[in-house]
Amino acid sequence: MKSNFFRAALVLGLLSAIGPFAIDMYLPALPSIGQSLNASIGAVQASLMAFFISLGIGQLIYGPVSDMVGRKAPLYFGLVLFAVGSVGCALAPDIHTLVVLRFIQGLGACAGMVVPRAVVRDLHTGHDAARLMSLLMLVFSVSPILAPLAGSFLIEWFGWRSVFWAVTVAAGLGLVLLATSLPETRPQSERVDSTVRSALAAYGVLLRDRHFLGLVFIGAFGISSFFAYLANSSFVLIDHYGLTPRQYSMAFAANAASFIGASQFTGKLSLRFGLVPVVKVAVIGYAALMALLLALNLAGIDQLEVMMVLLFIGYGFLGLVVPTTAVLALEEHGAIAGTASALMGTLQFVTGAVVMALVGLFVDGSARPMIAGIAGSALVAFVLTRSTLGGHRAVPAATPSA
């Protein structure tokens, strides 16, 4: 049983990581893509934003479909579409074509984002779900540690287009893994009542559930603060602070390691203190640190070391927030886990894209717009936590799965 638990985490994490791999390997290439395609910073960031938007919107389709036809078929389709989009990106002749193909690539990648969360809910609830989600995130989060570094080597040796050939190969490996290592977790008997009409009705139920939406948006603004870092950090750390692409990759990996390491404590902490208290404390710590970072920057302290230390500690707190809010949001919606996971993913990625766009409006070559976007998102998450988990409708701490 224990080996099956870890095997599920490994398979689901690797499938989930294919899409983010296409983001994280791509980050060190942003400045060189702009130079190669004669594109502005805003145009290059639009290719990243297009990926995030499609990654969010597409989940609205994959989630209900996975409830209707099972979990594996949507994953097959998504991986194939992702591979097709990746090949197109590798051959893109200009920035406009790249933006369109990144959108298509994102439509494929989002299957790997939404379906594994539904599989977790198919298999477990409560503490066990939190533990599996944190293990999934451990595997999933290998991407932001290794992908930027791998991307920087590929870019240095073969140019930025090689990144897209690499993720095409990753999609092929994902198809093999899906075919050989993941059983179907949505049996035919549970699909009987899942139809387009029931999916629309389910979305209506979820959109009227203020507790669900509150939890989703706590996670959304937590993730959005990281998205603001994703979209701007390569320009800030490479162009503003003078790091090389390889040094940037190592700095990025350090923050990802903090996020990963902390996320592994969610299972133990939730078992001891309860899911809700873990979220509350983690959000308070994260918001306080990001507010301090913004205050220091506004006071004229523009030092890479200061920013990296506070981000490192802050993303540790964020590593406790994201998996825990996901478990809490899905806890009461097991019958429509795919649809609930889809709506959660859509709202989170669209929120992230909006935050990225807002930060992009104020880009001035300094670190301040990025820091302001991170801190602002963290503070919104804090406000939402107070209003959503301020003492009503508490969810039980740890309910072992059957």
Side-chain angles (χ1 to χ4, degrees):
M1 179 66 73
K2 187 174 182 180
S3 62
N4 290 337
F5 193 90
F6 285 103
R7 181 182 179 184
L10 178 63
V11 173
L12 293 173
L14 290 174
L15 289 172
S16 299
I18 290 175
F21 216 73
I23 300 171
D24 300 326
M25 285 188 75
Y26 178 67
L27 296 178
L30 292 179
S32 60
I33 289 174
Q35 296 168 6
S36 173
L37 300 181
N38 296 316
S40 66
I41 291 177
V44 176
Q45 286 182 327
S47 68
L48 184 62
M49 194 183 310
F51 188 88
F52 275 105
I53 291 173
S54 63
L55 203 63
I57 294 174
Q59 293 186 54
L60 289 174
I61 299 172
Y62 284 106
V65 169
S66 76
D67 284 339
M68 286 185 271
V69 305
R71 308 304 187 198
K72 295 187 70 169
L75 283 171
Y76 279 120
F77 178 83
L79 286 170
V80 171
L81 184 61
F82 174 81
V84 170
S86 299
V87 171
C89 289
L91 301 174
D94 55 62
I95 191 64
H96 303 294
T97 304
L98 182 64
V99 170
V100 172
L101 288 167
R102 284 288 277 174
F103 185 87
I104 293 172
Q105 189 189 38
L107 286 177
C110 60
M113 301 296 293
V114 63
V115 178
R117 286 197 303 260
V119 172
V120 170
R121 182 56 185 81
D122 289 342
L123 298 174
H124 300 285
T125 59
H127 162 66
D128 285 340
R131 192 160 68 97
L132 180 55
M133 192 75 79
S134 65
L135 286 171
L136 184 155
M137 189 159 290
L138 174 62
V139 180
F140 167 84
S141 297
V142 168
S143 172
I145 290 180
L146 298 182
L149 191 58
S152 67
F153 278 108
L154 284 173
I155 295 158
E156 181 179 335
W157 293 338
F158 306 108
W160 64 267
R161 295 179 188 275
S162 63
V163 167
F164 293 107
W165 292 117
V167 297
T168 302
V169 173
L173 294 175
L175 286 168
V176 173
L177 192 65
L178 177 61
T180 59
S181 302
L182 184 69
E184 178 58 63
T185 60
R186 179 80 168 175
Q188 185 66 43
S189 60
E190 295 181 7
R191 306 177 203 169
V192 175
D193 296 327
S194 297
T195 63
V196 174
R197 178 177 293 181
S198 68
L200 294 175
Y203 279 131
V205 170
L206 294 168
L207 289 171
R208 290 191 299 271
D209 187 340
R210 295 179 61 184
H211 188 71
F212 170 82
L213 292 176
L215 288 163
V216 165
F217 279 109
I218 293 168
F221 280 98
I223 292 172
S224 294
S225 67
F226 192 67
F227 286 175
Y229 181 72
L230 280 176
N232 295 275
S233 58
S234 61
F235 296 104
V236 171
L237 272 65
I238 294 174
D239 295 338
H240 180 60
Y241 289 116
L243 298 186
T244 66
R246 195 173 301 177
Q247 289 171 331
Y248 162 73
S249 299
M250 295 177 69
F252 188 91
N255 287 328
S258 173
F259 182 94
I260 297 165
S263 71
Q264 297 314 294
F265 290 97
T266 55
K268 292 182 179 179
L269 291 173
S270 65
L271 182 62
R272 181 171 181 179
F273 301 108
L275 293 168
V276 171
V278 169
V279 173
K280 288 182 178 181
V281 172
V283 169
I284 290 172
Y286 184 56
L289 285 167
M290 296 306 98
L292 174 60
L293 176 60
L294 178 59
L296 291 173
N297 185 269
L298 291 173
I301 301 175
D302 184 18
Q303 297 179 9
L304 176 61
E305 296 81 3
V306 172
M307 183 177 75
M308 292 307 299
V309 168
L310 290 176
L311 285 176
F312 180 83
I313 300 171
Y315 284 140
F317 281 112
L318 187 61
L320 298 175
V321 174
V322 175
T324 312
T325 52
V327 170
L328 284 170
L330 297 178
E331 191 78 25
E332 299 179 11
H333 298 290
I336 51 172
T339 303
S341 177
L343 183 59
M344 177 168 61
T346 295
L347 293 176
Q348 290 179 344
F349 275 89
V350 171
T351 301
V354 170
V355 170
M356 286 164 55
L358 289 174
V359 173
L361 294 175
F362 299 96
V363 168
D364 59 4
S366 74
R368 184 165 298 171
M370 180 185 77
I371 292 173
I374 293 172
S377 297
L379 291 171
V380 172
F382 169 74
V383 172
L384 287 170
T385 301
R386 290 294 300 272
S387 62
T388 303
L389 301 175
H392 61 285
R393 194 175 172 176
V395 178
T399 306
S401 60

